[in-house]
Amino acid sequence: QVTLRESGGGSVQTGGSLRLSCEVSGYIQSVYCMAWFRQAPGKMREGVGSIYVAGGTTRYADSVKGRFTISQDSLENRLYLQMNSLKPDDTGTYSCAALRWEPDGVSHPPRCGFTGYSSWGQGTQVTVSS
């Protein structure tokens, strides 16, 4: 089992910055990918950024490329999302998620995109005002 806990949300004005943090605990050895998702009121949840934990390869949604950066601190077991040049459209509840996978000699490693995540944090609110 993996437990995730986000922090760092808040309210900022357009153009401001926030840094979200996700503390990871539990059976960390099984975590293969991690990602940040967000959900605005009345909208579907969408992936924001993902990272391949062992290699560090990242992917981003087109809407946040060049503004958001996902990173990890393996020693502290933390995932971060640095958000710059924030816009009102970035408002929503941000959650971190973990995709667990271990080699079994049969299945192929998953791609670290925005599907297949089974462990979720409770979310942290980000509000960007104009």
Side-chain angles (χ1 to χ4, degrees):
Q1 185 176 353
V2 174
T3 302
L4 308 173
R5 180 185 299 178
E6 303 93 339
S7 61
S11 297
V12 297
Q13 292 188 325
T14 297
S17 298
L18 282 173
R19 188 192 194 200
L20 305 184
S21 177
C22 174
E23 180 183 358
V24 186
S25 60
Y27 189 48
I28 298 172
Q29 301 93 314
S30 65
V31 176
Y32 191 83
C33 312
M34 292 205 69
W36 285 97
F37 290 79
R38 68 185 181 189
Q39 186 166 22
K43 294 187 177 180
M44 298 285 288
R45 184 172 61 197
E46 63 173 342
V48 174
S50 67
I51 187 167
Y52 167 44
V53 173
T57 305
T58 56
R59 294 180 63 183
Y60 296 95
D62 289 341
S63 58
V64 305
K65 281 181 181 177
R67 300 188 299 122
F68 290 12
T69 303
I70 190 170
S71 62
Q72 59 182 348
D73 184 330
S74 299
L75 293 178
E76 296 291 331
N77 294 326
R78 285 185 177 272
L79 181 74
Y80 298 101
L81 183 68
Q82 178 65 44
M83 305 186 294
N84 298 327
S85 302
L86 283 162
K87 308 173 183 179
D89 284 348
D90 296 319
T91 295
T93 300
Y94 284 69
S95 302
C96 63
L99 186 157
R100 299 170 59 191
W101 182 84
E102 295 181 278
D104 58 6
V106 177
S107 60
H108 294 287
R111 291 187 64 192
C112 293
F114 299 126
T115 60
Y117 292 83
S118 57
S119 300
W120 295 83
Q122 82 288 349
T124 186
Q125 179 67 33
V126 171
T127 302
V128 185
S129 58
S130 57

